[in-house]
Amino acid sequence: MNSASIKKLKEIVGENNVLDNPADLYVYGSDSSVHEARPNVVVRPQNTEQVQAIMRYANSERIPVIPRGSGSGMCGQVVPVRGGIVLDMKAMNRILEINPQDGYCRVEPGVVDDDLNKALKPYGVFYPPTPASSVVATVGGEIANNASGGRSVKYGAARDATLAVKVVLANGELLSFGSTTRVSASGYQLEKLMVGSEGTLAVIVEASLRFVPIPKLRCLGSAKFNKLSEAGDAIADIMGSGCQPSMLELIDKIAIIAVNKANNLGLPEVEAILLYEADGMAKEMIDVEIGKIQDICKKHKGFDLESSYEAKERARIWAGRAKLFPSLSKYDESLASTSLADDMAVPFSKMAECADKIHEIADKYGLVMTAYGHCGAGCMHTKILMDTDKEISWENARSAVSEIYDFVRSVGGTTSAEHGIGMSKAAAFKKEKAASLELMRAIKKAFDPNNILNPGKLMDGPDDWVEETTLRYQSS
Amino acid sequence: MNSASIKKLKEIVGENNVLDNPADLYVYGSDSSVHEARPNVVVRPQNTEQVQAIMRYANSERIPVIPRGSGSGMCGQVVPVRGGIVLDMKAMNRILEINPQDGYCRVEPGVVDDDLNKALKPYGVFYPPTPASSVVATVGGEIANNASGGRSVKYGAARDATLAVKVVLANGELLSFGSTTRVSASGYQLEKLMVGSEGTLAVIVEASLRFVPIPKLRCLGSAKFNKLSEAGDAIADIMGSGCQPSMLELIDKIAIIAVNKANNLGLPEVEAILLYEADGMAKEMIDVEIGKIQDICKKHKGFDLESSYEAKERARIWAGRAKLFPSLSKYDESLASTSLADDMAVPFSKMAECADKIHEIADKYGLVMTAYGHCGAGCMHTKILMDTDKEISWENARSAVSEIYDFVRSVGGTTSAEHGIGMSKAAAFKKEKAASLELMRAIKKAFDPNNILNPGKLMDGPDDWVEETTLRYQSS
């Protein structure tokens, strides 16, 4: 890219919406992952026509374009590894329509999840995928990553909520996929293909999203376990029993210790805590669900069972989980919390085995690793706590991550539950989907013949993220 | 195709599994649509390896292959318009795994829907898409068509239930898409792309399907209306109210008359009947739902409200809907019931307007048309009752169908709710998706470079089904 390119982009979006000073390029060079790179320029389109013009220009000049929301992705999805244009979609953040009778809303991709839910609240409905990062995460990014969150066990993921999208292709064409109707059997589900495509196929400029009624009541409970395997057996039994919890969360001992250290919460440092929530319109129904879940916990030696409908009590029970993510960095002052092998999906019946395996592998490589997550969705989160200044830490992390993913595949799991693939998980993803990579590349070529959209990700991501990407933490 | 081809196919699947006598070719030349054609041969693979061998051979010889379940599709999806091999998948009908703890089952594509649900019942769960044709419809056909049924309003369609598939590509390669885990954010959702692809991208040889708990209780109710628009307003209000009916069905006067004539049911011949069902684990909850639905019906001048939890009473209330489909042929002895414009999806708030429009267009062209369907899913079904011996009937039907689809698009609806596109709806589909047809063709090419898989359907279907296809009914 040269100054003529910058000039052309300024003509399209206006002077103020093109950033190319070093500080901005630094900020837009990373997301919430371990990777970094440097774009040539950041462009902030204000409307669809501008996105089309940018894409037409970039395509004619073969300039990479990386669509980006808030950069809360954890796997390097929006790190511009081949330079080019970071397309900051946050200015396109209008809520275009809320249609309670027809059960959907229509939004621009830059709308922040929490803002959308605030706007939906007066209608008595909510948009369910809602990841933990909902205070910053944009709807466009959630769709691109097939995001979900704590309540996906009952309410589904971005793939379920996304009814229709408008997208701009690499060549600037504007297309509509899907239908806002409740069902549709009109051929190829290109709207679903966009979900999880991580900006590699087209730029999402509008989305029609399904919403669901806000439940009147929620009841949150917890149970403690002296063995991780007992908590795991409880999870499998709960999910196999016909119960429909609205949340089911696992927290392991390392996570509890971290939360206690960071917040003086004084949680008992047992091997595992299960948190469970049931919601609905009628208390009788919720009582039945919570009762069944607690019976199953007791059967598997769960103790200190408690539950409450009261907001204050629920906040107390939830406090450990709420503070978990920021607390992990405080487990040990010499260790940083890194998003590596941060999010796998495994069958419910393998959750405990998976958590045990993670600890075993951590011990083997001298790393500290947590195991927590939305176990009701088969979602296992970890963080690797390590001394990021030491090269050996990265080597050990690389080996540990690879072994964890080998295990996940061996039990019928998949590389990512809700955080996506990007670069950090590309190696594992490519192993999991080895036979289909050529087909994926052919599909990408159908959308983006010049490979300008977010190149170097997913099936074209690095086989070795330590050697082949620039790490944010690396001091050497 | 020549005798060498037949010989080769017999080598692959055995003598008994290759049919090429005229009677069989006649039977396999049509489905439940108005179209017919003649295949060169019918081949019945017994396992995946045979499917791979057939595809390798067909691909090398450029022979069209049309994967087929039970042929209950209504739009000509499995009519072999370019001859070739009809691949009858019904022999691959094993249930490979039922995994209650992990919430899925794994089946071959030829499993019949009802058989699967019988096998799931002891586990207290069911596979939800279940169309009205579930006694014959195969799971593979349901996935290929993105089928759904009466309870999709609460439980979703094939797209929601399909977690993972194994497919054989045109070149014989065996690939796995998706994951059996509850959520997955591992890149392109190729499993969702297979749903609704109508046999044009690959042959499904295995599917992992999500199931859900069977509710303990069901309550079915009905309300009558003197104006279709009042029923329509009730539908929109029910769906916008936060109610979650497990079924919501509309039946119009013509359908009621047909049912009465065929079965002497003595239903009052009002302008519209709404049927509504709520299900769940607790009666209190269901009572609340049914109460809310009935209040809304009353507000919109619904009368003769009744409801029951009792199986016998529910069967009585449901009797008219149960007998609707076969009854339509008996509305007038000189008229046949044809599946044309048989299935559109429209926003809930447009259901009544759509039904009125259908009747207006029917009157204009001297046709008899019903309006009924799963209105809780925005699904509007019609049949055209006409004298199929008269050429003018077909001309009128063609005009009527075209105008109906123009209307559906104008209110934000889509060409098919649950029956698929095939050939009958290709013209409307191509109008709806005009801007995306080239992209669809490029995607098909990525899967099937020689265009051997079910050619002449969807984006490559006929623009005029009267002139460009052979009609089963045509006497001239």
Side-chain angles (χ1 to χ4, degrees):
Chain A
M1 286 189 70
N2 51 31
S3 60
S5 302
I6 304 289
K7 187 163 169 270
K8 172 72 187 175
L9 292 167
K10 285 181 176 172
E11 279 167 28
I12 296 171
V13 296
E15 193 94 16
N16 289 338
N17 292 312
V18 176
L19 310 174
D20 63 349
N21 64 73
D24 284 321
L25 299 184
Y26 175 79
V27 168
Y28 281 91
S30 57
D31 52 13
S32 304
S33 72
V34 297
H35 315 282
E36 68 173 354
R38 212 54 52 92
N40 293 98
V41 63
V42 177
V43 180
R44 303 188 295 203
Q46 308 296 302
N47 56 49
T48 295
E49 293 69 29
Q50 290 182 358
V51 174
Q52 292 184 271
I54 295 163
M55 293 312 298
R56 273 192 298 267
Y57 177 70
N59 198 41
S60 70
E61 300 288 321
R62 308 291 191 265
I63 302 168
V65 177
I66 296 89
R68 177 186 166 112
S70 293
S72 50
M74 290 176 161
C75 321
Q77 289 97 322
V78 298
V79 172
V81 274
R82 302 201 186 157
I85 299 166
V86 165
L87 199 66
D88 178 353
M89 300 300 290
K90 287 201 303 295
M92 289 178 64
N93 65 350
R94 289 178 303 162
I95 295 172
L96 302 167
E97 181 187 1
I98 295 177
N99 188 330
Q101 281 202 317
D102 295 327
Y104 71 89
C105 58
R106 207 159 46 84
V107 303
E108 289 185 328
V111 175
V112 168
D113 186 305
D114 278 1
D115 293 341
L116 175 59
N117 275 315
K118 261 174 230 153
L120 293 175
K121 203 172 178 187
Y123 300 90
V125 295
F126 74 107
Y127 161 70
T130 301
S133 54
S134 61
V135 66
V136 293
T138 64
V139 165
E142 290 177 7
I143 296 170
N145 287 291
N146 205 347
S148 52
R151 295 199 170 90
S152 60
V153 49
K154 181 166 182 178
Y155 294 104
R159 67 183 182 188
D160 304 300
T162 305
L163 296 171
V165 288
K166 285 188 184 170
V167 303
V168 173
L169 292 188
N171 66 9
E173 263 188 273
L174 178 65
L175 300 181
S176 291
F177 301 153
S179 164
T180 61
T181 53
R182 183 59 53 95
V183 294
S184 166
S186 295
Y188 299 168
Q189 299 191 103
L190 301 183
E191 71 283 9
K192 302 288 183 192
L193 185 58
M194 291 303 300
V195 181
S197 63
E198 301 190 0
T200 63
L201 297 180
V203 182
I204 298 168
V205 292
E206 190 182 305
S208 293
L209 305 168
R210 185 175 169 179
F211 44 63
V212 293
I214 298 172
K216 274 191 193 151
L217 294 165
R218 296 187 198 283
C219 181
L220 182 71
S222 75
K224 302 184 181 74
F225 294 84
N226 281 326
K227 286 186 183 168
L228 201 48
S229 63
E230 290 165 353
D233 290 341
I235 293 166
D237 258 18
I238 291 166
M239 296 311 296
S241 69
C243 286
Q244 296 203 288
S246 49
M247 287 201 293
L248 186 61
E249 297 279 324
L250 172 72
I251 310 178
D252 76 350
K253 190 174 180 176
I254 293 171
I256 299 166
I257 295 171
V259 168
N260 277 342
K261 272 197 188 173
N263 308 281
N264 282 317
L265 278 187
L267 294 173
E269 293 176 359
V270 294
E271 287 299 317
I273 297 178
L274 270 192
L275 297 168
Y276 40 85
E277 184 196 74
D279 67 12
M281 301 295 174
K283 185 170 178 300
E284 187 202 43
M285 183 74 190
I286 300 173
D287 285 343
V288 171
E289 292 277 2
I290 293 288
K292 274 169 80 176
I293 292 170
Q294 293 193 326
D295 286 346
I296 293 169
C297 286
K298 281 181 217 158
K299 186 182 140 197
H300 294 288
K301 304 189 185 165
F303 58 95
D304 278 1
L305 273 67
E306 54 177 345
S307 70
S308 179
Y309 284 88
E310 297 305 318
K312 212 172 153 182
E313 274 298 282
R314 286 191 288 129
R316 184 186 60 75
I317 295 170
W318 190 247
R321 181 66 178 88
K323 297 188 164 143
L324 179 54
F325 188 72
S327 299
L328 289 174
S329 301
K330 298 179 185 164
Y331 178 84
D332 180 328
E333 274 183 20
S334 66
L335 306 179
S337 169
T338 59
S339 281
L340 292 169
D342 53 307
D343 152 72
M344 293 76 66
V346 292
F348 304 128
S349 61
K350 306 292 180 188
M351 290 296 291
E353 203 182 327
C354 185
D356 275 332
K357 191 76 186 178
I358 287 168
H359 293 144
E360 180 195 317
I361 292 170
D363 289 347
K364 176 175 166 187
Y365 290 103
L367 299 163
V368 179
M369 294 189 72
T370 50
Y372 64 102
H374 321 310
C375 51
C379 171
M380 175 66 79
H381 288 333
T382 61
K383 295 285 163 200
I384 297 186
L385 309 186
M386 62 179 187
D387 183 344
T388 53
D389 286 339
K390 293 192 180 139
E391 208 165 301
I392 184 77
S393 302
W394 290 99
E395 275 170 39
N396 284 330
R398 173 168 52 182
S399 301
V401 164
S402 174
E403 286 185 29
I404 288 169
Y405 286 126
D406 286 346
F407 172 80
V408 165
R409 284 191 301 278
S410 77
V411 296
T414 188
T415 305
S416 172
E418 54 180 42
H419 292 177
I421 301 299
M423 297 194 291
S424 315
K425 299 195 195 110
F429 173 74
K430 286 158 83 173
K431 272 194 195 172
E432 181 187 339
K433 309 283 187 187
S436 303
L437 299 178
E438 280 315 308
L439 180 62
M440 292 178 199
R441 291 188 185 113
I443 291 169
K444 175 158 171 59
K445 200 160 191 172
F447 281 82
D448 174 21
N450 300 316
N451 193 26
I452 62 163
L453 273 163
N454 205 9
K457 308 294 168 68
L458 286 172
M459 62 280 172
D460 297 322
D463 285 318
D464 184 326
W465 47 269
V466 177
E467 292 297 326
E468 294 177 36
T469 75
T470 303
L471 298 172
R472 283 208 282 163
Y473 303 76
Q474 227 158 14
S475 60
S476 55
Chain B
M1 288 189 67
N2 51 33
S3 58
S5 302
I6 304 289
K7 187 162 168 272
K8 173 73 185 171
L9 292 166
K10 285 181 177 171
E11 281 167 25
I12 296 170
V13 295
E15 192 95 14
N16 289 338
N17 292 313
V18 176
L19 309 173
D20 63 349
N21 65 74
D24 285 321
L25 298 184
Y26 176 79
V27 167
Y28 282 91
S30 57
D31 52 12
S32 303
S33 73
V34 298
H35 314 282
E36 67 173 355
R38 212 55 51 93
N40 294 97
V41 63
V42 177
V43 179
R44 302 188 296 201
Q46 309 296 302
N47 56 50
T48 294
E49 293 69 29
Q50 290 182 359
V51 175
Q52 292 184 270
I54 295 163
M55 293 312 298
R56 275 193 295 267
Y57 177 70
N59 199 40
S60 70
E61 300 288 321
R62 309 289 191 265
I63 302 168
V65 177
I66 297 89
R68 177 186 166 113
S70 293
S72 50
M74 290 177 161
C75 320
Q77 288 97 322
V78 298
V79 172
V81 274
R82 302 201 186 155
I85 298 166
V86 165
L87 199 67
D88 178 352
M89 300 299 290
K90 287 201 302 296
M92 288 178 63
N93 64 350
R94 288 178 303 163
I95 296 172
L96 302 167
E97 181 186 2
I98 296 177
N99 189 331
Q101 280 202 318
D102 295 327
Y104 71 88
C105 58
R106 208 158 45 84
V107 302
E108 289 185 329
V111 175
V112 168
D113 186 305
D114 278 1
D115 293 339
L116 175 59
N117 275 315
K118 260 174 233 152
L120 292 175
K121 203 172 178 187
Y123 300 89
V125 296
F126 74 107
Y127 161 71
T130 302
S133 55
S134 61
V135 66
V136 293
T138 63
V139 165
E142 290 176 7
I143 296 169
N145 287 290
N146 205 346
S148 53
R151 295 197 171 92
S152 60
V153 49
K154 182 167 180 177
Y155 294 104
R159 67 183 181 188
D160 305 300
T162 305
L163 296 172
V165 289
K166 285 189 183 169
V167 303
V168 173
L169 292 187
N171 66 9
E173 262 187 273
L174 178 65
L175 300 181
S176 292
F177 301 153
S179 165
T180 60
T181 52
R182 183 58 55 93
V183 294
S184 167
S186 295
Y188 299 168
Q189 299 190 103
L190 300 183
E191 71 283 10
K192 303 288 184 193
L193 185 58
M194 290 303 299
V195 181
S197 64
E198 300 190 1
T200 62
L201 297 180
V203 183
I204 297 166
V205 292
E206 189 181 304
S208 293
L209 305 167
R210 184 176 168 177
F211 44 63
V212 293
I214 298 171
K216 273 191 194 152
L217 294 164
R218 295 186 197 284
C219 182
L220 182 72
S222 75
K224 301 185 181 73
F225 294 85
N226 281 326
K227 284 185 184 171
L228 201 47
S229 63
E230 289 164 355
D233 291 341
I235 294 165
D237 259 17
I238 292 165
M239 295 311 296
S241 70
C243 286
Q244 297 203 289
S246 49
M247 287 202 292
L248 186 60
E249 296 280 323
L250 172 73
I251 311 178
D252 77 349
K253 189 175 182 176
I254 293 171
I256 299 166
I257 294 171
V259 168
N260 277 342
K261 271 196 189 174
N263 309 282
N264 282 318
L265 279 187
L267 295 173
E269 294 177 358
V270 294
E271 286 300 316
I273 298 177
L274 271 192
L275 297 168
Y276 41 85
E277 186 196 73
D279 67 12
M281 300 295 173
K283 186 170 178 299
E284 187 203 44
M285 182 74 191
I286 300 173
D287 285 343
V288 170
E289 292 276 3
I290 293 288
K292 274 169 80 175
I293 293 170
Q294 292 193 326
D295 286 346
I296 293 169
C297 286
K298 280 181 216 157
K299 184 181 141 198
H300 294 288
K301 302 189 185 165
F303 58 95
D304 279 1
L305 272 66
E306 55 178 344
S307 70
S308 179
Y309 285 86
E310 296 304 318
K312 212 171 152 184
E313 275 297 283
R314 285 191 289 128
R316 184 186 59 74
I317 295 170
W318 190 248
R321 182 63 179 87
K323 296 188 161 133
L324 179 54
F325 188 71
S327 299
L328 290 173
S329 300
K330 297 178 186 166
Y331 178 85
D332 180 328
E333 275 183 18
S334 66
L335 306 179
S337 170
T338 59
S339 281
L340 292 168
D342 53 306
D343 152 72
M344 291 78 65
V346 293
F348 303 128
S349 62
K350 306 293 179 186
M351 290 294 292
E353 202 181 329
C354 184
D356 275 333
K357 191 76 185 180
I358 288 169
H359 292 144
E360 178 195 317
I361 292 170
D363 289 347
K364 176 176 167 187
Y365 290 103
L367 298 163
V368 178
M369 295 189 71
T370 50
Y372 64 102
H374 320 310
C375 51
C379 170
M380 175 67 79
H381 286 336
T382 61
K383 294 286 163 197
I384 297 187
L385 310 186
M386 65 178 184
D387 184 344
T388 54
D389 287 340
K390 292 189 180 144
E391 208 165 300
I392 184 78
S393 302
W394 290 99
E395 276 171 37
N396 284 330
R398 173 168 52 183
S399 302
V401 164
S402 173
E403 286 185 28
I404 288 168
Y405 286 125
D406 286 347
F407 171 80
V408 165
R409 283 191 301 277
S410 76
V411 297
T414 188
T415 305
S416 173
E418 54 180 41
H419 292 178
I421 301 299
M423 296 195 291
S424 314
K425 298 194 196 113
F429 172 76
K430 286 158 82 173
K431 272 194 195 173
E432 181 187 339
K433 308 283 187 186
S436 303
L437 299 178
E438 279 315 309
L439 179 61
M440 291 178 200
R441 291 187 186 113
I443 291 168
K444 175 158 171 58
K445 201 159 190 171
F447 280 84
D448 175 21
N450 299 317
N451 193 25
I452 63 164
L453 273 163
N454 205 9
K457 308 295 167 66
L458 286 172
M459 61 280 173
D460 297 322
D463 285 318
D464 184 325
W465 46 270
V466 177
E467 292 296 326
E468 293 176 36
T469 75
T470 304
L471 298 171
R472 283 208 282 163
Y473 303 77
Q474 227 158 14
S475 60
S476 55

